[in-house]
Amino acid sequence: MPVSSVNHTKVIKEEQLLITVTYFSNTTESLKNYRVMQELKVAFGQVLGVDSRKSTIQETNTEKVGEDGDIYQFTFDINYYELDSSKSDSVLARKMILK
C-alpha cells in the first residue's frame, strides 16, 4: 500500500512506497552487522526492478531496532507513476464557450 499518492493529472498519479528489510543478526558485533547492511545496499542498488518496471531508490536508512543490538532495519523509498487507463477515454467537456 502506498505511503503517499499524488494525482498529477486525471489519469496519472505518482505513488511512493516505503520498503523495510529487517535483519535478525546472530551477533552483536557492530562491524559484522555494518557489513551486512552495506551488502543489502549493494544488493538493492540504486534501481529496483520489478517485472518490466524500474524504480529509482530515493532514500535509504539503516537503524538498530533491537534492544540487544541484534536487529537492524534497512528502509528505502521508491516512487513510481501509475496510468489509470479506465479514465483516459472520458470526455472532459462537450462544448467550450469563450467570452
Side-chain angles (χ1 to χ4, degrees):
M1 185 155 147
V3 172
S4 70
S5 182
V6 177
N7 292 323
H8 289 284
T9 67
K10 187 173 182 178
V11 296
I12 298 174
K13 65 181 174 179
E14 181 180 5
E15 304 279 3
Q16 181 183 47
L17 290 176
L18 173 65
I19 311 282
T20 302
V21 178
T22 303
Y23 171 65
F24 297 92
S25 178
N26 58 1
T27 180
T28 56
E29 209 173 307
S30 295
L31 187 56
K32 285 183 181 179
N33 291 327
Y34 174 78
R35 286 185 186 135
V36 171
M37 290 295 106
Q38 291 305 319
E39 289 175 19
L40 275 174
K41 285 183 182 183
V42 170
F44 282 100
Q46 292 297 313
V47 177
L48 180 66
V50 178
D51 289 332
S52 62
R53 288 184 159 186
K54 304 260 189 265
S55 297
T56 303
I57 293 176
Q58 301 295 321
E59 181 181 330
T60 63
N61 186 33
T62 304
E63 63 181 314
K64 282 185 187 181
V65 294
E67 292 177 13
D68 298 329
D70 60 344
I71 302 173
Y72 289 79
Q73 285 188 332
F74 173 66
T75 60
F76 57 92
D77 294 328
I78 59 171
N79 291 1
Y80 63 94
Y81 293 90
E82 284 287 333
L83 176 62
D84 187 352
S85 58
S86 66
K87 296 179 183 177
S88 63
D89 295 331
S90 62
V91 176
L92 297 177
R94 295 265 180 228
K95 185 176 181 182
M96 184 184 286
I97 301 172
L98 300 175
K99 294 184 179 187

